[in-house]
Amino acid sequence: MIVLGSNSEVAQAFVEKLLKSGEKHSKIFLFTSNRETTEKFAKHLEVKYVQQSEIIDLDLLISIDYSSLEHINSNLLFCATGFLGMGTEEGLYDNRNTQNIIDVNYAKLVPVLNYFADKMERKRTGTMIVLSSVAGDRGRQSNFIYGSAKAGLTAYLSGLRNYLFDKKVHVLTIKPGFMATKMTEGFPLNPKLTATPKQAADGIYQAYKNKRNTAYVLPIWGFIMLIIRNIPEFIFKKLKL
Amino acid sequence: MKPNFKREVSNWGNFPVVEKEIRSEDSLAKIQEFVRTNHEIIARGNGRCYGDASLAENIFSTKRLNKFISFDRLNGIIECESGVLLSDVLEVIIPQGYFLFVTPGTKFITVGGAIASDVHGKNHHMEGCFSEYVLEFSLLNENSEVLICSPTQNSEKFWATIGGMGLSGIILSAKFKLKNIETSYIRQESIKAENLDEIFQLFDESETWTYNVAWIDCLQKGENLGRSILMRGEHAFKHQLPKNLQNNPLNMEKKISPTVPFYFPGFVLNNLAVKLFNFFYFKKQTKKVVKNIVHYETFFYPLDIVNHWNRIYGKKGFIQYQMVLPKSNGKEGMKKILETIAESGNGSFLAVLKLFGKHNEAAYNSFPFEGYTLALDFKINSKLKKLVESLDQIVEQYGGRIYLTKDSMSKPSLVNYLKNVNNSKFVSLQSKRIHNG
Ligand SMILES: Cc1cc2nc3c(=O)[nH]c(=O)nc-3n(C[C@H](O)[C@H](O)[C@H](O)COP(=O)(O)OP(=O)(O)OC[C@H]3O[C@@H](n4cnc5c(N)ncnc54)[C@H](O)[C@@H]3O)c2cc1C
């Protein structure tokens, strides 16, 4: 199994869910930009599930050496990399912020996903599970740089799914809404709309087992986004969302 | 949007409820920074203490320190971060033929909480407290330094932290020994006692059993005062299991737990309900002695089967009153306590009696000492304060003390037994209440 963004609490909960439900992997490849915390997770997997893993440094903001990835092969990829950056008010005209958001969520990420898609396509088997965001469903004034990068990612995944369909590779797009993670700690999130990492992992696991194409982590978000997507633009532009 | 870490928080008794800042981090650098830049901090595990022990102006939640570090499967030594729950430890160790040496009556507590309260189980008279099996832990002290503490290294800090209620710093990780088991089952005997004399006699007779605990019906008066059921147990060997269990002797038996979905309205748990509960509990067992093989979950954690059972006490919450009385005069003291409760009409749903053995002199902050301990749940109501005052008086008179991890309103003189834990960095609402009160 390949995990991009191994320090994400959702990624970790998903890996645990998978191992708990008895799926075996000869090795888990943990990609990370923070080796220290990932090492903790690797040891945890070793103790709790007698599961071997290998840590691979990957910082999307620095260049990627693909030759070091050659030995990595797996028919399951889970991608939870993401970068929220600063929202519109603080960060819109900060070019560095804008660039980082676009790079981590789309520009630098897509080539990495392509790299592994290619490997799966050649083997004609595999599943790619990628976390996009509800923010990509429609640009809103509060965080549309992030939203636009995620919209790009969602579109890429949809095309990739279409392309890989007859090559027996499945692509699952996950659209989390609010999640109670380190990233959102301290924000006043409505508990009914907020998933814990464990809930998210359970939901994603179900979607994976049912071979869904796209899934919201909490079903209620499907409904909310249906409404948000359908508000006519001349009204939407006046809303403070 | 600016983050706001203030949250409504309370522990298992839902009393008191306060609005305080809660933070949780998994990176050491960030934890150190948090300790450096804040005062009046306390660590909080899973909030299974009952009162205000893990509440403070600034709470550091260990929920993200939830990783295992190593497991020596040959020698039964495990190491993990302090926020790992005992339930997680059990999941890892039982299939390998190991069990915890000491476990409290719930498995939903953290390793950090087990050390900070130096928890005891039904086997204190034989095997002591949790700390007996702790080989070392790492502690973040008031200067934000990480100290490795063991009986030989930084031993002062080691012993101050054992039972130190988080007042000496934040435990980050710990290494402890495990007990060998052949099966995940317990050979149990339940024996009915008609009154207090009989139950004390049964405890004396059962001193060679590893696990002993009694449930008391504390609404009984006069001749029936102390009517109870003693449960004693031993880890079963494989050959003692019925044939159908022998194929899978270390079975984990995953059950789906019902959840109490909301706080019960206050009137539900009145005296009548307590009476009925105890009536059925004691009448259910018609024979004097029942011997059987039970799963460890049933034996150790009967209450864990219902998630959030604390909600049946309603929004106002409840307290647990747990005291220990010395062996020499403990029986007499217990009698007075039970009489006082029966007279007050303030029934306790749950009353558990246990025997403590000799305590480890080095673990000077631990609650247990040789004698009898009784734990009682009381719903918060207008009469409770007065009852607690009269019970405190008896405990004081008999030279006993109150378990800090359950305390939220007892007399300071019964709960101020901690030493070597005073600094301005780690201060809980409980320690403030005790010192100002
Ligand atoms: C149903 C039930 C049955 C129980 N049965 C028993 C029993 O049989 N025997 C027994 O001894 N206890 C028993 N308890 C009490 C329980 O074991 C203790 O209160 C335990 O300490 C709770 O652990 P926690 O992880 O929830 O910690 P919390 O309740 O969050 O904290 C308890 C104390 O530990 C400190 N602490 C927690 N984590 C750390 C850390 N990482 N570093 C430093 N300090 C820390 C806190 O500051 C606080 O003082 C029971 C509780 C319940 C709810």
Side-chain angles (χ1 to χ4, degrees), chain B residues 414-432:
Chain B
L414 295 174
V415 277
N416 65 0
Y417 49 86
L418 298 194
K419 287 186 224 124
N420 302 335
V421 288
N422 294 327
N423 65 62
S424 56
K425 205 44 123 174
F426 300 105
V427 174
S428 65
L429 296 186
Q430 179 178 59
S431 69
K432 265 169 103 171

Side-chain angles (χ1 to χ4, degrees), chain B residues 43 45-49 105 110 113 116-117 119-120 165-166 171 354 403 405:
Chain B
N46 204 28
R48 248 42 173 199
C49 64
T110 65
S117 294
V119 299
H120 58 267
M165 303 307 291
I171 302 162
K354 279 182 288 205
Y403 195 4
T405 211

